[in-house]
Amino acid sequence: MNALPGVAGLDAIVVGAGPNGLAAAVTLARAGLRVRVYERANQAGGGASTRELTLPGFHHDVCSAVHPMAFESRFFREFGLADRVEFITPEVSFAQPLDGGRAAVAHRDLERTSVGLGADGPAYNRLMRPLAERSTEVADFTGSSLLRIPRNPLLAVAFGLRALEQGTPAWGIRFREDLAPALLTGVAAHTILAQPSIAGAGAGLALTAFAHARGWPIPIGGSQAISDAMVDDLRAHGGELVLEHEVTSLAELPPSTVTLLDVTPKAMIRLAGDAMPGRYRRTLEAFRYGDGVAKVDFALNAPVPWTNPDLHLAGTVHVGGTRAEMADAENQVQQGRHPEHPYVLVSQPSLFDEGRAPAGMHTLWTYTHVPAGSDLDRREAVIAQIERFAPGFRDTIVATSSRSAREVEEHNPNYPGGDIAAGAPDLWQLFRRPVLSPDPWRTPIPGVYLASASASPGPGVTGMPGWLAALSALRHEFGTRMLPDLAPIES
């Protein structure tokens, strides 16, 4: 590809317009820099985008759908996301159906949740209350490099002890029945890690704390609304967005003071070529990617006919049965197998946002975990698992869109092998993401920074890796430690 034409005075280039690339671009533009963003797709958003995947008029989220960090991420708080995008927050953050029509239900109200968990309710309350009451502090210390002293060390210790308990074989000590363990494991399994695992338990506890604090919000219009809000702010402050342009080498970019890459280490090696020092290259080559997802979207003619009516109130449903069943399914994936009865994440946003589908119709978002690079279509496995808890579900299906893990990567190269975490989020790689450093966003290539979910603090639609990379660039390349004001501008 020929070199792009130079632009006099261009200060910053961002490669990739996913949530992190856009967060970095917004931050740099708000600092008064001239910023240009390049994106290979025909719309911005990456993991936070919405498209008509099944039929015209049915708007499906391509990757993320429900956003536990929308109100808790430090970047989104600074950006004033809740004032820019309309959200609806379901009363039930998530739920876990069990056989016999039973379900564990995580209400935003912790007390109500605890009552519904029967004999284990008090134990669940003791586990979660200290974290839910300090959810923003939990978000702050889990939302940055772990190689720093947290502002509230006592809370960090309390969090760590709970993660050790729920992330090891000791996870059976606290509870006597099956509802509470299933509820917690359904969230921990988001991480696509072995169960139990300390990193999975930590992520699950943080997300559960957010569920009982401010809930798990759903953006009206889809996840695209979050990306569009950042694009609008970027353009309002002089930034540019170039769509349908795939950057294949750093050498083809026009001159700029800094370049921030919303890509994986694998892609960064390819982009940098000989400009990357050998030692750093070897470190990035050792970065490990995790297992993947197979995604299935449905157009429906009715809501999912859950046996338990409380599930109609939930923004997210974790389908997989008991803690033991989900652990078995997830551990089979870790062994390179496709479980017959998989763990499935489910959300029906059209229950809360009627604009997602034509009148009287619905959209359903699902994905399940598979070995990295799997090319199997998991549509039937997903349908069968939902049917287990919602007999008659198959009869509501009007159309489907199904992607294997390999097709997920083809759609978005930031998901190698279908790994939507852009790198295995195990405990070691949460510290070393992608390098063991208090400033892991800065690379040894002059002016180049890694601003993707492969960098600390890791996966999720938070904007944090991009924001922290941009702040690092402002410190090192422009000599300022001032935090740009990201708040919405009043009209």
Side-chain angles (χ1 to χ4, degrees):
M1 182 179 295
N2 294 330
L4 299 170
V7 178
L10 192 61
D11 299 304
I13 289 173
V14 177
V15 177
N20 292 309
L22 291 174
V26 162
T27 303
L28 296 173
R30 284 296 195 106
L33 304 181
R34 279 175 279 192
V35 181
R36 175 180 283 186
V37 181
Y38 291 104
E39 168 58 45
R40 68 186 289 271
N42 62 5
Q43 70 182 57
S49 57
T50 306
R51 294 176 181 262
E52 293 180 329
L53 298 178
T54 55
L55 296 171
F58 290 82
H59 301 280
H60 303 272
D61 289 317
V62 174
C63 187
S64 64
V66 182
H67 293 269
M69 292 297 293
F71 300 156
E72 297 288 4
S73 156
R74 172 78 186 276
F75 168 74
F76 285 145
R77 298 198 314 265
E78 295 281 341
F79 185 65
L81 183 66
D83 296 322
R84 298 173 185 262
V85 173
E86 183 181 0
F87 288 91
I88 187 165
T89 306
E91 164 56 29
V92 174
S93 296
F94 58 91
Q96 183 81 30
L98 298 176
D99 291 325
R102 297 183 305 136
V105 180
H107 298 270
R108 288 170 61 188
D109 186 324
L110 178 58
E111 290 293 342
R112 185 176 178 186
T113 302
S114 301
V115 169
L117 295 177
D120 284 332
Y124 180 88
N125 197 308
R126 289 191 296 272
L127 178 75
M128 292 310 309
R129 181 164 296 282
L131 307 183
E133 289 179 344
R134 297 172 179 82
S135 63
T136 298
E137 292 176 76
V138 170
D140 285 346
F141 78 73
T142 59
S144 187
S145 170
L146 295 182
L147 295 178
R148 67 183 184 94
I149 299 174
R151 294 182 181 179
N152 188 335
L154 292 179
L155 177 62
V157 168
F159 181 89
L161 290 174
R162 285 162 168 78
L164 281 171
E165 173 197 306
Q166 291 299 309
T168 65
W171 70 348
I173 292 175
R174 184 178 294 263
F175 301 116
R176 293 174 290 167
E177 300 181 339
D178 58 357
L179 290 177
L183 195 65
L184 290 168
T185 302
V187 190
H190 280 230
T191 55
I192 326 181
L193 295 171
Q195 296 296 324
S197 70
I198 295 173
L205 289 168
L207 292 173
T208 304
F210 306 151
H212 293 311
R214 302 183 66 182
W216 285 9
I218 296 172
I220 298 297
S223 296
Q224 190 68 46
I226 296 174
S227 299
D228 288 348
M230 289 193 277
V231 170
D232 289 346
D233 193 85
L234 171 66
R235 287 173 168 158
H237 292 86
E240 302 174 70
L241 173 61
V242 179
L243 296 173
E244 297 184 89
H245 190 106
E246 183 172 5
V247 176
T248 60
S249 170
L250 296 183
E252 74 189 39
L253 295 171
S256 67
T257 304
V258 297
T259 301
L260 285 83
L261 304 176
D262 184 6
V263 303
T264 64
K266 181 186 296 186
M268 185 179 177
I269 292 170
R270 185 174 64 252
L271 291 174
D274 293 340
M276 181 176 288
R279 182 176 180 182
Y280 188 70
R281 175 189 294 271
R282 289 189 292 274
T283 300
L284 295 192
E285 288 173 340
F287 187 77
R288 292 178 295 100
Y289 300 92
D291 286 308
V293 304
K295 187 165 184 291
V296 188
D297 290 283
F298 298 91
L300 308 179
N301 61 19
V304 178
W306 299 113
T307 301
N308 189 301
D310 285 343
L311 271 62
H312 293 287
L313 306 175
T316 299
V317 180
H318 301 131
V319 178
T322 64
R323 165 175 274 183
E325 289 178 298
M326 286 182 288
D328 178 62
E330 291 300 279
N331 292 339
Q332 285 188 54
V333 172
Q334 296 291 311
Q335 296 161 10
R337 298 156 57 194
H338 295 82
E340 181 180 356
H341 303 293
Y343 165 80
V344 183
L345 282 96
V346 177
S347 180
Q348 189 169 357
S350 54
L351 289 174
F352 311 97
D353 178 5
E354 294 180 355
R356 300 289 188 96
M361 309 294 275
H362 289 273
T363 59
L364 189 73
W365 170 102
T366 78
Y367 72 76
T368 188
H369 300 155
V370 294
S374 167
D375 61 0
L376 287 189
D377 184 335
R378 295 293 278 165
R379 180 179 350 215
E380 284 301 318
V382 167
I383 292 173
Q385 191 70 315
I386 296 175
E387 276 268 344
R388 173 183 168 187
F389 303 101
F393 166 65
R394 189 183 296 273
D395 296 333
T396 70
I397 299 172
V398 177
T400 63
S401 169
S402 184
R403 284 179 174 160
S404 68
R406 186 173 298 175
E407 290 168 329
V408 168
E409 178 182 7
E410 289 172 359
H411 173 75
N412 189 338
N414 268 359
Y415 303 149
D419 175 13
I420 58 173
D426 57 35
L427 192 60
W428 172 237
Q429 282 205 163
L430 290 179
F431 281 95
R432 179 183 176 272
R433 199 166 181 97
V435 295
L436 193 65
S437 167
D439 190 354
W441 312 278
R442 190 184 187 191
T443 82
I445 307 172
V448 176
Y449 292 76
L450 186 63
S452 72
S454 298
S456 182
V461 178
T462 67
M464 290 299 298
W467 184 58
L468 292 168
L471 295 182
S472 179
L474 288 172
R475 288 195 304 272
H476 295 294
E477 313 299 334
F478 299 97
T480 178
R481 291 182 173 272
M482 292 184 62
L483 298 182
D485 182 1
L486 304 180
I489 298 175
E490 296 183 6
S491 57

